[in-house]
Amino acid sequence: NAGVMQNPRHLVRRRGQEARLRCSPMKGHSHVYWYRQLPEEGLKFMVYLQKENIIDESGMPKERFSAEFPKEGPSILRIQQVVRGDSAAYFCASSQVRGSNQPQHFGDGTRLSIL
Amino acid sequence: EDQVTQSPEALRLQEGESSSLNCSYTVSGLRGLFWYRQDPGKGPEFLFTLYSAGEEKEKERLKATLTKKESFLHITAPKPEDSATYLCAVQASGTYKYIFGTGTRLKVLA
């Protein structure tokens, strides 16, 4: 099953540490999207990337958060100097091409807990 | 501001008791409306895409419909395995991000 793969599934960090979340898109997909889901809230868009390009990062906090999708390897969402408010489920989605005729397919997420 | 509101927040049905979930939206030009199912501890699983008012899609016991202001997900004769959170999302023209509602938690009792 070549679905969207995210790892780790669960990640625990202490305040001030760095968190790295990985996402491998579905086979043949070259567009990656990151979303964050806080308890009792809907999924919120963070960033949209293609290989080696950030297309839209309008939903990503300006400080401490960064994302990349290198030519080789998975997409990485990096959170520096984590704080309690960063605790959430982070989901990655991928699509084959731009546009709504190819829906975004989601991974099972990384649940980040900050101690 | 683009927005999606889902109702009810939670719904309990007896097995076989049909019902509908609502997704109201305001968006500056609709590119697509999407329904997903999410089980606890899992990611959203794609169900349907709707593009224009009047469009309908069906899959097993589920049927999605779309008007200019809202979408309905009709569940006919549900089974306990249909229990999940159902998410609605819209994509505005000229953008690629999805705007999600907070979902309807459906529980189907045997």
Side-chain angles (χ1 to χ4, degrees), chain A residues 9 35 37 42-43 45 48 58 91 98-101 103-104 106-108 111, chain B residues 31 34 36 38 41-44 46 51 87 91 96-98 100-102:
Chain A
R9 291 295 314 279
Y35 292 81
Q37 188 174 40
L43 286 96
F45 169 79
Y48 163 39
S58 60
F91 290 94
R98 289 185 179 187
S100 60
N101 58 337
Q104 296 174 18
F106 285 79
D108 284 337
R111 275 130 188 99
Chain B
R31 191 171 194 174
F34 307 86
Y36 286 83
Q38 187 174 25
K42 298 287 190 178
F46 171 72
Y51 297 104
L87 302 174
Q91 187 179 41
Y96 304 99
K97 63 184 180 184
Y98 287 6
F100 279 88
T102 51

PDB file of all heavy atoms in Angstrom, chain A residues 9 35 37 42-43 45 48 58 91 98-101 103-104 106-108 111, chain B residues 31 34 36 38 41-44 46 51 87 91 96-98 100-102:
ATOM      1  N   ARG A   9       5.092   8.399  14.340  1.00  0.00           N
ATOM      2  CA  ARG A   9       3.661   8.530  14.620  1.00  0.00           C
ATOM      3  C   ARG A   9       3.427   9.331  15.893  1.00  0.00           C
ATOM      4  O   ARG A   9       2.434  10.047  16.004  1.00  0.00           O
ATOM      5  CB  ARG A   9       3.014   7.150  14.746  1.00  0.00           C
ATOM      6  CG  ARG A   9       2.941   6.361  13.452  1.00  0.00           C
ATOM      7  CD  ARG A   9       2.032   7.025  12.411  1.00  0.00           C
ATOM      8  NE  ARG A   9       0.763   7.456  12.963  1.00  0.00           N
ATOM      9  CZ  ARG A   9      -0.268   6.659  13.163  1.00  0.00           C
ATOM     10  NH1 ARG A   9      -0.197   5.379  12.869  1.00  0.00           N
ATOM     11  NH2 ARG A   9      -1.402   7.140  13.664  1.00  0.00           N
ATOM     12  N   TYR A  35      -0.747  20.160   7.417  1.00  0.00           N
ATOM     13  CA  TYR A  35      -1.853  20.707   8.187  1.00  0.00           C
ATOM     14  C   TYR A  35      -1.607  20.412   9.662  1.00  0.00           C
ATOM     15  O   TYR A  35      -0.976  19.428  10.011  1.00  0.00           O
ATOM     16  CB  TYR A  35      -3.188  20.076   7.779  1.00  0.00           C
ATOM     17  CG  TYR A  35      -3.662  20.427   6.383  1.00  0.00           C
ATOM     18  CD1 TYR A  35      -3.152  19.766   5.264  1.00  0.00           C
ATOM     19  CD2 TYR A  35      -4.637  21.406   6.183  1.00  0.00           C
ATOM     20  CE1 TYR A  35      -3.593  20.078   3.984  1.00  0.00           C
ATOM     21  CE2 TYR A  35      -5.095  21.718   4.907  1.00  0.00           C
ATOM     22  CZ  TYR A  35      -4.566  21.052   3.810  1.00  0.00           C
ATOM     23  OH  TYR A  35      -5.004  21.363   2.546  1.00  0.00           O
ATOM     24  N   GLN A  37      -3.707  19.955  13.425  1.00  0.00           N
ATOM     25  CA  GLN A  37      -5.015  19.752  14.050  1.00  0.00           C
ATOM     26  C   GLN A  37      -4.866  19.868  15.553  1.00  0.00           C
ATOM     27  O   GLN A  37      -4.259  19.013  16.193  1.00  0.00           O
ATOM     28  CB  GLN A  37      -5.594  18.388  13.668  1.00  0.00           C
ATOM     29  CG  GLN A  37      -7.028  18.176  14.120  1.00  0.00           C
ATOM     30  CD  GLN A  37      -7.598  16.865  13.589  1.00  0.00           C
ATOM     31  OE1 GLN A  37      -6.921  15.844  13.543  1.00  0.00           O
ATOM     32  NE2 GLN A  37      -8.861  16.897  13.169  1.00  0.00           N
ATOM     33  N   GLY A  42     -10.606  22.171  13.782  1.00  0.00           N
ATOM     34  CA  GLY A  42     -10.434  21.561  12.471  1.00  0.00           C
ATOM     35  C   GLY A  42      -8.989  21.601  12.021  1.00  0.00           C
ATOM     36  O   GLY A  42      -8.157  22.274  12.614  1.00  0.00           O
ATOM     37  N   LEU A  43      -8.705  20.886  10.962  1.00  0.00           N
ATOM     38  CA  LEU A  43      -7.360  20.929  10.386  1.00  0.00           C
ATOM     39  C   LEU A  43      -7.109  22.308   9.794  1.00  0.00           C
ATOM     40  O   LEU A  43      -7.950  22.860   9.095  1.00  0.00           O
ATOM     41  CB  LEU A  43      -7.204  19.883   9.280  1.00  0.00           C
ATOM     42  CG  LEU A  43      -7.076  18.448   9.728  1.00  0.00           C
ATOM     43  CD1 LEU A  43      -8.404  17.748   9.679  1.00  0.00           C
ATOM     44  CD2 LEU A  43      -6.078  17.710   8.846  1.00  0.00           C
ATOM     45  N   PHE A  45      -4.453  24.615   7.483  1.00  0.00           N
ATOM     46  CA  PHE A  45      -3.381  24.585   6.505  1.00  0.00           C
ATOM     47  C   PHE A  45      -2.144  25.314   7.019  1.00  0.00           C
ATOM     48  O   PHE A  45      -2.251  26.376   7.646  1.00  0.00           O
ATOM     49  CB  PHE A  45      -3.855  25.252   5.213  1.00  0.00           C
ATOM     50  CG  PHE A  45      -2.764  25.531   4.216  1.00  0.00           C
ATOM     51  CD1 PHE A  45      -2.268  24.523   3.409  1.00  0.00           C
ATOM     52  CD2 PHE A  45      -2.230  26.803   4.103  1.00  0.00           C
ATOM     53  CE1 PHE A  45      -1.273  24.780   2.484  1.00  0.00           C
ATOM     54  CE2 PHE A  45      -1.233  27.077   3.188  1.00  0.00           C
ATOM     55  CZ  PHE A  45      -0.753  26.058   2.372  1.00  0.00           C
ATOM     56  N   TYR A  48       2.402  24.542   1.613  1.00  0.00           N
ATOM     57  CA  TYR A  48       2.272  23.728   0.392  1.00  0.00           C
ATOM     58  C   TYR A  48       3.614  23.762  -0.321  1.00  0.00           C
ATOM     59  O   TYR A  48       4.159  24.844  -0.588  1.00  0.00           O
ATOM     60  CB  TYR A  48       1.150  24.284  -0.471  1.00  0.00           C
ATOM     61  CG  TYR A  48       1.121  23.847  -1.921  1.00  0.00           C
ATOM     62  CD1 TYR A  48       1.423  22.546  -2.302  1.00  0.00           C
ATOM     63  CD2 TYR A  48       0.738  24.753  -2.912  1.00  0.00           C
ATOM     64  CE1 TYR A  48       1.366  22.165  -3.634  1.00  0.00           C
ATOM     65  CE2 TYR A  48       0.674  24.371  -4.236  1.00  0.00           C
ATOM     66  CZ  TYR A  48       0.986  23.082  -4.599  1.00  0.00           C
ATOM     67  OH  TYR A  48       0.931  22.717  -5.917  1.00  0.00           O
ATOM     68  N   SER A  58       1.510  30.496   3.750  1.00  0.00           N
ATOM     69  CA  SER A  58       0.698  31.508   4.418  1.00  0.00           C
ATOM     70  C   SER A  58       0.149  31.062   5.763  1.00  0.00           C
ATOM     71  O   SER A  58      -0.203  31.878   6.598  1.00  0.00           O
ATOM     72  CB  SER A  58      -0.464  31.938   3.508  1.00  0.00           C
ATOM     73  OG  SER A  58      -1.288  30.823   3.189  1.00  0.00           O
ATOM     74  N   PHE A  91      -0.560  16.674  10.169  1.00  0.00           N
ATOM     75  CA  PHE A  91      -0.879  15.785   9.049  1.00  0.00           C
ATOM     76  C   PHE A  91      -0.229  16.290   7.772  1.00  0.00           C
ATOM     77  O   PHE A  91      -0.198  17.488   7.496  1.00  0.00           O
ATOM     78  CB  PHE A  91      -2.388  15.699   8.844  1.00  0.00           C
ATOM     79  CG  PHE A  91      -3.103  14.951   9.930  1.00  0.00           C
ATOM     80  CD1 PHE A  91      -3.654  15.624  11.009  1.00  0.00           C
ATOM     81  CD2 PHE A  91      -3.212  13.567   9.881  1.00  0.00           C
ATOM     82  CE1 PHE A  91      -4.304  14.942  12.019  1.00  0.00           C
ATOM     83  CE2 PHE A  91      -3.859  12.871  10.887  1.00  0.00           C
ATOM     84  CZ  PHE A  91      -4.409  13.562  11.954  1.00  0.00           C
ATOM     85  N   ARG A  98      -1.641  19.838  -9.455  1.00  0.00           N
ATOM     86  CA  ARG A  98      -2.404  20.943  -8.905  1.00  0.00           C
ATOM     87  C   ARG A  98      -3.856  20.828  -9.333  1.00  0.00           C
ATOM     88  O   ARG A  98      -4.169  20.226 -10.327  1.00  0.00           O
ATOM     89  CB  ARG A  98      -1.868  22.271  -9.436  1.00  0.00           C
ATOM     90  CG  ARG A  98      -0.545  22.649  -8.883  1.00  0.00           C
ATOM     91  CD  ARG A  98      -0.168  24.033  -9.377  1.00  0.00           C
ATOM     92  NE  ARG A  98       1.105  24.453  -8.832  1.00  0.00           N
ATOM     93  CZ  ARG A  98       1.604  25.664  -8.992  1.00  0.00           C
ATOM     94  NH1 ARG A  98       0.922  26.568  -9.668  1.00  0.00           N
ATOM     95  NH2 ARG A  98       2.765  25.976  -8.477  1.00  0.00           N
ATOM     96  N   GLY A  99      -4.735  21.436  -8.533  1.00  0.00           N
ATOM     97  CA  GLY A  99      -6.134  21.494  -8.944  1.00  0.00           C
ATOM     98  C   GLY A  99      -7.004  20.503  -8.207  1.00  0.00           C
ATOM     99  O   GLY A  99      -6.548  19.514  -7.660  1.00  0.00           O
ATOM    100  N   SER A 100      -8.263  20.754  -8.197  1.00  0.00           N
ATOM    101  CA  SER A 100      -9.173  19.966  -7.375  1.00  0.00           C
ATOM    102  C   SER A 100      -9.579  18.660  -8.039  1.00  0.00           C
ATOM    103  O   SER A 100     -10.263  17.868  -7.429  1.00  0.00           O
ATOM    104  CB  SER A 100     -10.412  20.778  -7.045  1.00  0.00           C
ATOM    105  OG  SER A 100     -11.068  21.152  -8.242  1.00  0.00           O
ATOM    106  N   ASN A 101      -9.175  18.402  -9.286  1.00  0.00           N
ATOM    107  CA  ASN A 101      -9.539  17.119  -9.871  1.00  0.00           C
ATOM    108  C   ASN A 101      -8.667  16.002  -9.327  1.00  0.00           C
ATOM    109  O   ASN A 101      -8.899  14.837  -9.605  1.00  0.00           O
ATOM    110  CB  ASN A 101      -9.446  17.183 -11.397  1.00  0.00           C
ATOM    111  CG  ASN A 101      -8.058  17.570 -11.866  1.00  0.00           C
ATOM    112  OD1 ASN A 101      -7.306  18.180 -11.137  1.00  0.00           O
ATOM    113  ND2 ASN A 101      -7.728  17.199 -13.075  1.00  0.00           N
ATOM    114  N   PRO A 103      -7.690  14.984  -5.621  1.00  0.00           N
ATOM    115  CA  PRO A 103      -7.818  15.338  -4.202  1.00  0.00           C
ATOM    116  C   PRO A 103      -6.541  15.070  -3.427  1.00  0.00           C
ATOM    117  O   PRO A 103      -5.703  14.282  -3.842  1.00  0.00           O
ATOM    118  CB  PRO A 103      -8.951  14.437  -3.724  1.00  0.00           C
ATOM    119  CG  PRO A 103      -8.914  13.259  -4.641  1.00  0.00           C
ATOM    120  CD  PRO A 103      -8.502  13.814  -5.975  1.00  0.00           C
ATOM    121  N   GLN A 104      -6.427  15.731  -2.301  1.00  0.00           N
ATOM    122  CA  GLN A 104      -5.302  15.508  -1.410  1.00  0.00           C
ATOM    123  C   GLN A 104      -5.559  14.238  -0.594  1.00  0.00           C
ATOM    124  O   GLN A 104      -6.650  14.039  -0.064  1.00  0.00           O
ATOM    125  CB  GLN A 104      -5.114  16.713  -0.494  1.00  0.00           C
ATOM    126  CG  GLN A 104      -4.751  17.973  -1.259  1.00  0.00           C
ATOM    127  CD  GLN A 104      -4.694  19.201  -0.375  1.00  0.00           C
ATOM    128  OE1 GLN A 104      -4.602  19.116   0.842  1.00  0.00           O
ATOM    129  NE2 GLN A 104      -4.734  20.373  -0.998  1.00  0.00           N
ATOM    130  N   PHE A 106      -4.239  11.945   2.653  1.00  0.00           N
ATOM    131  CA  PHE A 106      -3.578  12.230   3.919  1.00  0.00           C
ATOM    132  C   PHE A 106      -2.884  11.009   4.507  1.00  0.00           C
ATOM    133  O   PHE A 106      -3.333   9.865   4.340  1.00  0.00           O
ATOM    134  CB  PHE A 106      -4.602  12.743   4.939  1.00  0.00           C
ATOM    135  CG  PHE A 106      -5.025  14.161   4.702  1.00  0.00           C
ATOM    136  CD1 PHE A 106      -5.959  14.465   3.722  1.00  0.00           C
ATOM    137  CD2 PHE A 106      -4.482  15.199   5.443  1.00  0.00           C
ATOM    138  CE1 PHE A 106      -6.349  15.780   3.493  1.00  0.00           C
ATOM    139  CE2 PHE A 106      -4.862  16.511   5.225  1.00  0.00           C
ATOM    140  CZ  PHE A 106      -5.797  16.801   4.249  1.00  0.00           C
ATOM    141  N   GLY A 107      -1.796  11.290   5.244  1.00  0.00           N
ATOM    142  CA  GLY A 107      -1.178  10.282   6.081  1.00  0.00           C
ATOM    143  C   GLY A 107      -1.892  10.206   7.426  1.00  0.00           C
ATOM    144  O   GLY A 107      -2.860  10.929   7.663  1.00  0.00           O
ATOM    145  N   ASP A 108      -1.402   9.325   8.303  1.00  0.00           N
ATOM    146  CA  ASP A 108      -2.024   9.136   9.610  1.00  0.00           C
ATOM    147  C   ASP A 108      -1.492  10.083  10.678  1.00  0.00           C
ATOM    148  O   ASP A 108      -1.870   9.977  11.838  1.00  0.00           O
ATOM    149  CB  ASP A 108      -1.867   7.690  10.067  1.00  0.00           C
ATOM    150  CG  ASP A 108      -2.819   6.750   9.346  1.00  0.00           C
ATOM    151  OD1 ASP A 108      -3.856   7.239   8.849  1.00  0.00           O
ATOM    152  OD2 ASP A 108      -2.520   5.544   9.266  1.00  0.00           O
ATOM    153  N   ARG A 111       1.683  12.761  16.112  1.00  0.00           N
ATOM    154  CA  ARG A 111       1.156  13.407  17.297  1.00  0.00           C
ATOM    155  C   ARG A 111       2.316  13.913  18.146  1.00  0.00           C
ATOM    156  O   ARG A 111       3.077  13.108  18.676  1.00  0.00           O
ATOM    157  CB  ARG A 111       0.257  12.446  18.070  1.00  0.00           C
ATOM    158  CG  ARG A 111      -1.165  12.452  17.513  1.00  0.00           C
ATOM    159  CD  ARG A 111      -1.692  11.045  17.232  1.00  0.00           C
ATOM    160  NE  ARG A 111      -2.982  11.116  16.538  1.00  0.00           N
ATOM    161  CZ  ARG A 111      -3.121  10.970  15.226  1.00  0.00           C
ATOM    162  NH1 ARG A 111      -2.080  10.718  14.478  1.00  0.00           N
ATOM    163  NH2 ARG A 111      -4.307  11.062  14.671  1.00  0.00           N
TER     164      ARG A 111
ATOM    165  N   ARG B  31     -13.714  26.146  -5.837  1.00  0.00           N
ATOM    166  CA  ARG B  31     -12.979  25.299  -6.770  1.00  0.00           C
ATOM    167  C   ARG B  31     -13.384  23.841  -6.582  1.00  0.00           C
ATOM    168  O   ARG B  31     -13.450  23.081  -7.536  1.00  0.00           O
ATOM    169  CB  ARG B  31     -11.482  25.458  -6.506  1.00  0.00           C
ATOM    170  CG  ARG B  31     -10.605  24.835  -7.558  1.00  0.00           C
ATOM    171  CD  ARG B  31      -9.164  25.234  -7.319  1.00  0.00           C
ATOM    172  NE  ARG B  31      -8.348  24.929  -8.467  1.00  0.00           N
ATOM    173  CZ  ARG B  31      -7.078  25.276  -8.580  1.00  0.00           C
ATOM    174  NH1 ARG B  31      -6.497  25.952  -7.613  1.00  0.00           N
ATOM    175  NH2 ARG B  31      -6.397  24.959  -9.651  1.00  0.00           N
ATOM    176  N   PHE B  34     -14.927  18.915  -0.577  1.00  0.00           N
ATOM    177  CA  PHE B  34     -14.427  17.564  -0.330  1.00  0.00           C
ATOM    178  C   PHE B  34     -15.010  17.015   0.960  1.00  0.00           C
ATOM    179  O   PHE B  34     -15.111  17.726   1.958  1.00  0.00           O
ATOM    180  CB  PHE B  34     -12.896  17.592  -0.214  1.00  0.00           C
ATOM    181  CG  PHE B  34     -12.229  18.258  -1.383  1.00  0.00           C
ATOM    182  CD1 PHE B  34     -12.049  19.628  -1.406  1.00  0.00           C
ATOM    183  CD2 PHE B  34     -11.788  17.510  -2.453  1.00  0.00           C
ATOM    184  CE1 PHE B  34     -11.446  20.250  -2.484  1.00  0.00           C
ATOM    185  CE2 PHE B  34     -11.179  18.122  -3.540  1.00  0.00           C
ATOM    186  CZ  PHE B  34     -11.015  19.495  -3.557  1.00  0.00           C
ATOM    187  N   TYR B  36     -14.387  13.917   3.757  1.00  0.00           N
ATOM    188  CA  TYR B  36     -13.451  12.927   4.260  1.00  0.00           C
ATOM    189  C   TYR B  36     -14.057  12.236   5.465  1.00  0.00           C
ATOM    190  O   TYR B  36     -14.885  12.808   6.178  1.00  0.00           O
ATOM    191  CB  TYR B  36     -12.138  13.585   4.710  1.00  0.00           C
ATOM    192  CG  TYR B  36     -11.232  14.058   3.595  1.00  0.00           C
ATOM    193  CD1 TYR B  36     -11.439  15.287   2.980  1.00  0.00           C
ATOM    194  CD2 TYR B  36     -10.161  13.278   3.170  1.00  0.00           C
ATOM    195  CE1 TYR B  36     -10.594  15.728   1.970  1.00  0.00           C
ATOM    196  CE2 TYR B  36      -9.308  13.714   2.163  1.00  0.00           C
ATOM    197  CZ  TYR B  36      -9.535  14.936   1.570  1.00  0.00           C
ATOM    198  OH  TYR B  36      -8.691  15.364   0.562  1.00  0.00           O
ATOM    199  N   GLN B  38     -12.731  10.402   9.077  1.00  0.00           N
ATOM    200  CA  GLN B  38     -11.556  10.259   9.936  1.00  0.00           C
ATOM    201  C   GLN B  38     -11.883   9.364  11.121  1.00  0.00           C
ATOM    202  O   GLN B  38     -12.799   9.655  11.889  1.00  0.00           O
ATOM    203  CB  GLN B  38     -11.048  11.619  10.426  1.00  0.00           C
ATOM    204  CG  GLN B  38      -9.734  11.529  11.193  1.00  0.00           C
ATOM    205  CD  GLN B  38      -9.157  12.892  11.551  1.00  0.00           C
ATOM    206  OE1 GLN B  38      -9.873  13.881  11.654  1.00  0.00           O
ATOM    207  NE2 GLN B  38      -7.841  12.946  11.746  1.00  0.00           N
ATOM    208  N   GLY B  41      -7.259   8.372  15.753  1.00  0.00           N
ATOM    209  CA  GLY B  41      -5.849   8.049  15.590  1.00  0.00           C
ATOM    210  C   GLY B  41      -5.389   7.898  14.158  1.00  0.00           C
ATOM    211  O   GLY B  41      -4.243   7.509  13.907  1.00  0.00           O
ATOM    212  N   LYS B  42      -6.270   8.205  13.218  1.00  0.00           N
ATOM    213  CA  LYS B  42      -5.932   8.052  11.798  1.00  0.00           C
ATOM    214  C   LYS B  42      -6.030   9.393  11.082  1.00  0.00           C
ATOM    215  O   LYS B  42      -6.553  10.367  11.609  1.00  0.00           O
ATOM    216  CB  LYS B  42      -6.906   7.068  11.134  1.00  0.00           C
ATOM    217  CG  LYS B  42      -6.872   5.667  11.710  1.00  0.00           C
ATOM    218  CD  LYS B  42      -5.617   4.937  11.283  1.00  0.00           C
ATOM    219  CE  LYS B  42      -5.683   3.473  11.645  1.00  0.00           C
ATOM    220  NZ  LYS B  42      -4.474   2.736  11.181  1.00  0.00           N
ATOM    221  N   GLY B  43      -5.530   9.399   9.834  1.00  0.00           N
ATOM    222  CA  GLY B  43      -5.671  10.581   9.014  1.00  0.00           C
ATOM    223  C   GLY B  43      -6.987  10.567   8.258  1.00  0.00           C
ATOM    224  O   GLY B  43      -7.654   9.533   8.164  1.00  0.00           O
ATOM    225  N   PRO B  44      -7.396  11.723   7.717  1.00  0.00           N
ATOM    226  CA  PRO B  44      -8.623  11.777   6.915  1.00  0.00           C
ATOM    227  C   PRO B  44      -8.538  10.876   5.687  1.00  0.00           C
ATOM    228  O   PRO B  44      -7.516  10.859   4.996  1.00  0.00           O
ATOM    229  CB  PRO B  44      -8.703  13.252   6.513  1.00  0.00           C
ATOM    230  CG  PRO B  44      -7.903  13.980   7.537  1.00  0.00           C
ATOM    231  CD  PRO B  44      -6.788  13.052   7.883  1.00  0.00           C
ATOM    232  N   PHE B  46     -10.210  10.096   2.062  1.00  0.00           N
ATOM    233  CA  PHE B  46     -11.005  10.777   1.037  1.00  0.00           C
ATOM    234  C   PHE B  46     -12.261   9.983   0.678  1.00  0.00           C
ATOM    235  O   PHE B  46     -12.221   8.756   0.483  1.00  0.00           O
ATOM    236  CB  PHE B  46     -10.149  10.980  -0.213  1.00  0.00           C
ATOM    237  CG  PHE B  46     -10.915  11.485  -1.402  1.00  0.00           C
ATOM    238  CD1 PHE B  46     -11.359  12.797  -1.431  1.00  0.00           C
ATOM    239  CD2 PHE B  46     -11.198  10.655  -2.463  1.00  0.00           C
ATOM    240  CE1 PHE B  46     -12.081  13.269  -2.517  1.00  0.00           C
ATOM    241  CE2 PHE B  46     -11.905  11.116  -3.561  1.00  0.00           C
ATOM    242  CZ  PHE B  46     -12.348  12.419  -3.583  1.00  0.00           C
ATOM    243  N   TYR B  51     -17.963  19.654  -7.405  1.00  0.00           N
ATOM    244  CA  TYR B  51     -17.433  20.857  -8.034  1.00  0.00           C
ATOM    245  C   TYR B  51     -18.471  21.953  -8.233  1.00  0.00           C
ATOM    246  O   TYR B  51     -18.137  23.142  -8.173  1.00  0.00           O
ATOM    247  CB  TYR B  51     -16.832  20.520  -9.398  1.00  0.00           C
ATOM    248  CG  TYR B  51     -15.667  19.578  -9.342  1.00  0.00           C
ATOM    249  CD1 TYR B  51     -15.805  18.244  -9.688  1.00  0.00           C
ATOM    250  CD2 TYR B  51     -14.411  20.016  -8.935  1.00  0.00           C
ATOM    251  CE1 TYR B  51     -14.736  17.369  -9.636  1.00  0.00           C
ATOM    252  CE2 TYR B  51     -13.336  19.158  -8.872  1.00  0.00           C
ATOM    253  CZ  TYR B  51     -13.508  17.844  -9.229  1.00  0.00           C
ATOM    254  OH  TYR B  51     -12.441  16.985  -9.178  1.00  0.00           O
ATOM    255  N   LEU B  87     -15.538  14.879   7.865  1.00  0.00           N
ATOM    256  CA  LEU B  87     -14.986  16.217   7.665  1.00  0.00           C
ATOM    257  C   LEU B  87     -15.362  16.749   6.296  1.00  0.00           C
ATOM    258  O   LEU B  87     -15.350  16.011   5.303  1.00  0.00           O
ATOM    259  CB  LEU B  87     -13.460  16.183   7.770  1.00  0.00           C
ATOM    260  CG  LEU B  87     -12.857  15.661   9.071  1.00  0.00           C
ATOM    261  CD1 LEU B  87     -11.337  15.548   8.944  1.00  0.00           C
ATOM    262  CD2 LEU B  87     -13.219  16.571  10.221  1.00  0.00           C
ATOM    263  N   GLN B  91     -12.070  24.266  -1.190  1.00  0.00           N
ATOM    264  CA  GLN B  91     -10.899  24.837  -1.834  1.00  0.00           C
ATOM    265  C   GLN B  91     -11.379  26.017  -2.669  1.00  0.00           C
ATOM    266  O   GLN B  91     -12.246  25.856  -3.534  1.00  0.00           O
ATOM    267  CB  GLN B  91     -10.217  23.791  -2.712  1.00  0.00           C
ATOM    268  CG  GLN B  91      -8.903  24.218  -3.311  1.00  0.00           C
ATOM    269  CD  GLN B  91      -8.284  23.110  -4.155  1.00  0.00           C
ATOM    270  OE1 GLN B  91      -8.981  22.428  -4.895  1.00  0.00           O
ATOM    271  NE2 GLN B  91      -6.981  22.932  -4.048  1.00  0.00           N
ATOM    272  N   TYR B  96      -4.714  26.439  -3.344  1.00  0.00           N
ATOM    273  CA  TYR B  96      -4.534  24.990  -3.298  1.00  0.00           C
ATOM    274  C   TYR B  96      -4.789  24.418  -1.917  1.00  0.00           C
ATOM    275  O   TYR B  96      -4.881  23.213  -1.744  1.00  0.00           O
ATOM    276  CB  TYR B  96      -3.126  24.630  -3.775  1.00  0.00           C
ATOM    277  CG  TYR B  96      -2.871  25.195  -5.147  1.00  0.00           C
ATOM    278  CD1 TYR B  96      -2.161  26.386  -5.300  1.00  0.00           C
ATOM    279  CD2 TYR B  96      -3.399  24.590  -6.273  1.00  0.00           C
ATOM    280  CE1 TYR B  96      -1.982  26.941  -6.553  1.00  0.00           C
ATOM    281  CE2 TYR B  96      -3.220  25.142  -7.527  1.00  0.00           C
ATOM    282  CZ  TYR B  96      -2.504  26.326  -7.662  1.00  0.00           C
ATOM    283  OH  TYR B  96      -2.335  26.882  -8.897  1.00  0.00           O
ATOM    284  N   LYS B  97      -4.919  25.286  -0.928  1.00  0.00           N
ATOM    285  CA  LYS B  97      -5.131  24.807   0.425  1.00  0.00           C
ATOM    286  C   LYS B  97      -6.600  24.478   0.639  1.00  0.00           C
ATOM    287  O   LYS B  97      -7.481  25.031  -0.002  1.00  0.00           O
ATOM    288  CB  LYS B  97      -4.686  25.866   1.434  1.00  0.00           C
ATOM    289  CG  LYS B  97      -5.479  27.155   1.372  1.00  0.00           C
ATOM    290  CD  LYS B  97      -4.898  28.168   2.333  1.00  0.00           C
ATOM    291  CE  LYS B  97      -5.654  29.479   2.297  1.00  0.00           C
ATOM    292  NZ  LYS B  97      -5.036  30.504   3.157  1.00  0.00           N
ATOM    293  N   TYR B  98      -6.846  23.543   1.548  1.00  0.00           N
ATOM    294  CA  TYR B  98      -8.194  23.184   1.944  1.00  0.00           C
ATOM    295  C   TYR B  98      -8.530  23.920   3.237  1.00  0.00           C
ATOM    296  O   TYR B  98      -7.690  24.042   4.127  1.00  0.00           O
ATOM    297  CB  TYR B  98      -8.313  21.682   2.196  1.00  0.00           C
ATOM    298  CG  TYR B  98      -8.291  20.808   0.965  1.00  0.00           C
ATOM    299  CD1 TYR B  98      -8.047  21.316  -0.303  1.00  0.00           C
ATOM    300  CD2 TYR B  98      -8.506  19.440   1.082  1.00  0.00           C
ATOM    301  CE1 TYR B  98      -8.020  20.492  -1.423  1.00  0.00           C
ATOM    302  CE2 TYR B  98      -8.495  18.604  -0.030  1.00  0.00           C
ATOM    303  CZ  TYR B  98      -8.252  19.145  -1.275  1.00  0.00           C
ATOM    304  OH  TYR B  98      -8.227  18.311  -2.380  1.00  0.00           O
ATOM    305  N   PHE B 100     -10.993  23.427   6.313  1.00  0.00           N
ATOM    306  CA  PHE B 100     -11.795  22.360   6.915  1.00  0.00           C
ATOM    307  C   PHE B 100     -12.786  22.900   7.930  1.00  0.00           C
ATOM    308  O   PHE B 100     -12.522  23.884   8.630  1.00  0.00           O
ATOM    309  CB  PHE B 100     -10.884  21.360   7.638  1.00  0.00           C
ATOM    310  CG  PHE B 100     -10.237  20.360   6.732  1.00  0.00           C
ATOM    311  CD1 PHE B 100      -9.022  20.641   6.110  1.00  0.00           C
ATOM    312  CD2 PHE B 100     -10.829  19.125   6.488  1.00  0.00           C
ATOM    313  CE1 PHE B 100      -8.421  19.719   5.283  1.00  0.00           C
ATOM    314  CE2 PHE B 100     -10.235  18.194   5.658  1.00  0.00           C
ATOM    315  CZ  PHE B 100      -9.027  18.496   5.050  1.00  0.00           C
ATOM    316  N   GLY B 101     -13.946  22.207   8.026  1.00  0.00           N
ATOM    317  CA  GLY B 101     -14.819  22.384   9.165  1.00  0.00           C
ATOM    318  C   GLY B 101     -14.309  21.541  10.325  1.00  0.00           C
ATOM    319  O   GLY B 101     -13.325  20.799  10.187  1.00  0.00           O
ATOM    320  N   THR B 102     -14.991  21.654  11.466  1.00  0.00           N
ATOM    321  CA  THR B 102     -14.553  20.923  12.657  1.00  0.00           C
ATOM    322  C   THR B 102     -15.111  19.507  12.720  1.00  0.00           C
ATOM    323  O   THR B 102     -14.779  18.754  13.616  1.00  0.00           O
ATOM    324  CB  THR B 102     -14.939  21.675  13.942  1.00  0.00           C
ATOM    325  OG1 THR B 102     -16.324  21.997  13.885  1.00  0.00           O
ATOM    326  CG2 THR B 102     -14.125  22.949  14.076  1.00  0.00           C
TER     327      THR B 102
END
